Amino acid sequence: MSAARPAEGPLPRVRLVDVARESGLSKTTVSAALNGTGRMSEEVRRRARETARRLGYRPNATARLLRAGHARLIGYAVGEFAGEPGTYLTSPYFARLTSATTAAALEHGYALVLLPSRCGPEEWADLPLDAAIVADPVDRDPLVEDFLAARIPLFTDRSVEGRPGAHWVDVDTEGAVREVLDHLYAQGARRIALVLPGTVIRFHRAAADTHRRWCDERGLTARQARTDGAGDGPVITAVEAVLSGPEPPDALFVLAEAGPPLVLEAVRRAGLAVPGQLLLVCASEESSAEHTRPAVSTLSLQPAAVAEKGIELLIAALESGSRESTGALVPTRLEIRASSLRHSRCPYDNTVDLGGPGTV
């Protein structure tokens, strides 16, 4: 029998001096070339980088961060979703928001640390966080209060406007809801029902208030329903309850997030044709809305734009050291498709008489 091969230990770490020796350059020149600094020809800079790549050289991140005085880590939590990190990623909106936030932070050299939505300072106090993000916080969210009390720069919604160290990005909720309701009204709808998530956050409360005011201004009844949980199932249950009344609505604005094909199927099970008997708009980031029959009108809350603007404000504060509160509003996007156009040629056709799908 052949002798057993000894277990291989970890490969020795490639040092800057190894790159310098292999490339025939000085350590100072190699360091400047890899950092994009110093005065040298492009040929020398390319030789240093190609040698480092070939040898598998990686700079000592810990040493660099210690010299810089920060860890380049940003804590991230979603206030609307309690529980373990990542549960909100089943939501298309929060999946896009999280992905866009991660990408925007990395562009500035920062990484996200996912935190449970209900964690306390004892769970993150030992993490070297440079900043924090709490997406869609609940009312008087303890995580928001803890970060601000610890003087950790924070990006969240407009509820923190004016507070030192707090930075916010929000959408114009009233403008967005009125845009949808005005569109449905112009198509002849007078019994417009709003389906909201069961969670009470600033955005949902503002949307419900706007819907009530809008209906009062026109002498209409404000029909509203809330889900009893997150996910497609509770939303579809709420939609079915709204449609089962003695006088069903003639338009439905589903602000609670659910797949547009599932909402459309629930309406059909209730025996209503879209858009002939019921106009439909869903708040959704899913591309599936474009491919149903009829195609479903959607309101996008522009999560990528929210993420990019929020990171921009947060990084500016980190780089300047300013504690002054900053904020911005991001426009929403209403995609009008056949499901909310009364003049469609056929209740189950994507094609509309008014020029096809459009953007308002």
Side-chain angles (χ1 to χ4, degrees):
M1 295 179 61
S2 59
R5 295 179 60 186
E8 296 183 1
L11 293 175
R13 184 180 183 89
V14 178
R15 302 167 300 168
L16 191 66
V17 67
D18 300 321
V19 178
R21 183 184 304 111
E22 182 73 13
S23 62
L25 302 171
S26 69
K27 280 180 59 178
T28 301
T29 299
V30 170
S31 177
L34 298 182
N35 289 323
T37 60
R39 299 180 62 181
M40 66 193 73
S41 68
E42 282 305 311
E43 172 60 29
V44 170
R45 195 180 299 277
R46 183 167 53 252
R47 190 199 321 171
R49 290 176 174 174
E50 288 178 354
T51 303
R53 186 181 306 112
R54 178 165 49 83
L55 295 180
Y57 171 75
R58 293 176 57 205
N60 190 320
T62 301
R64 294 175 65 181
L65 293 175
L66 287 173
R67 288 194 297 271
H70 50 77
R72 305 190 78 82
L73 296 178
I74 299 175
Y76 180 89
V78 175
E80 185 181 350
F81 285 76
E84 294 300 315
T87 56
Y88 43 81
L89 295 180
T90 58
S91 153
Y93 171 82
F94 284 113
R96 291 196 180 191
L97 180 70
T98 304
S99 175
T101 303
T102 302
L106 282 175
E107 286 183 6
H108 294 276
Y110 288 81
L112 293 192
V113 178
L114 299 188
L115 302 172
S117 299
R118 291 295 177 267
C119 66
E122 67 280 358
E123 297 177 84
W124 53 260
D126 290 335
L127 296 174
L129 300 179
D130 296 303
I133 298 169
V134 179
D136 277 13
V138 297
D139 287 342
R140 295 179 294 280
D141 197 306
L143 200 51
V144 168
E145 298 305 320
D146 288 341
F147 282 132
L148 291 178
R151 297 180 65 84
I152 293 177
L154 177 71
F155 155 39
T156 185
D157 70 5
R158 199 169 186 172
S159 61
V160 298
E161 184 175 11
R163 300 181 66 178
H167 310 277
W168 61 268
V169 176
D170 232 324
V171 296
D172 178 5
T173 307
E174 180 167 357
V177 172
R178 284 183 176 274
E179 183 179 23
V180 173
L181 297 177
D182 287 344
H183 162 63
L184 294 172
Y185 190 85
Q187 295 298 308
R190 297 298 181 268
R191 303 187 307 278
I192 305 173
L194 178 66
V195 177
L196 295 151
T199 53
V200 181
I201 63 172
R202 186 178 185 278
F203 173 74
H204 301 152
R205 187 171 58 249
D209 291 345
T210 298
H211 177 244
R212 280 190 290 268
R213 287 196 303 272
W214 185 92
C215 289
D216 288 344
E217 291 163 7
R218 289 157 182 78
L220 305 177
T221 300
R223 301 163 180 242
Q224 296 185 2
R226 289 190 178 271
T227 69
D228 62 0
D232 290 330
V235 178
I236 298 307
T237 298
V239 167
E240 291 172 340
V242 167
L243 299 179
S244 64
E247 187 182 26
D250 57 6
L252 193 60
F253 178 19
V254 183
L255 194 56
E257 191 176 31
L262 297 177
V263 176
L264 189 60
E265 183 58 31
V267 174
R268 286 174 175 161
R269 286 198 303 271
L272 298 172
V274 177
Q277 295 171 291
L278 182 95
L279 303 178
L280 176 64
V281 177
C282 293
S284 177
E285 308 301 327
E286 290 191 31
S287 61
S288 62
E290 303 174 46
H291 306 293
T292 55
R293 292 181 62 85
V296 176
S297 296
T298 55
L299 176 70
S300 169
L301 302 181
Q302 301 291 75
V306 170
E308 290 164 6
K309 188 62 181 178
I311 289 294
E312 176 188 322
L313 296 179
L314 199 56
I315 298 302
L318 287 172
E319 292 180 348
S320 68
S322 172
R323 296 276 298 162
E324 181 180 355
S325 179
T326 60
L329 284 176
V330 170
T332 55
R333 182 180 179 88
L334 175 60
E335 292 280 0
I336 295 177
R337 302 187 179 97
S339 72
S340 65
L341 290 170
R342 189 70 79 188
H343 303 294
S344 289
R345 291 173 183 167
C346 170
Y348 300 97
D349 191 356
N350 286 338
T351 308
V352 295
D353 291 334
L354 303 181
T359 301
V360 176

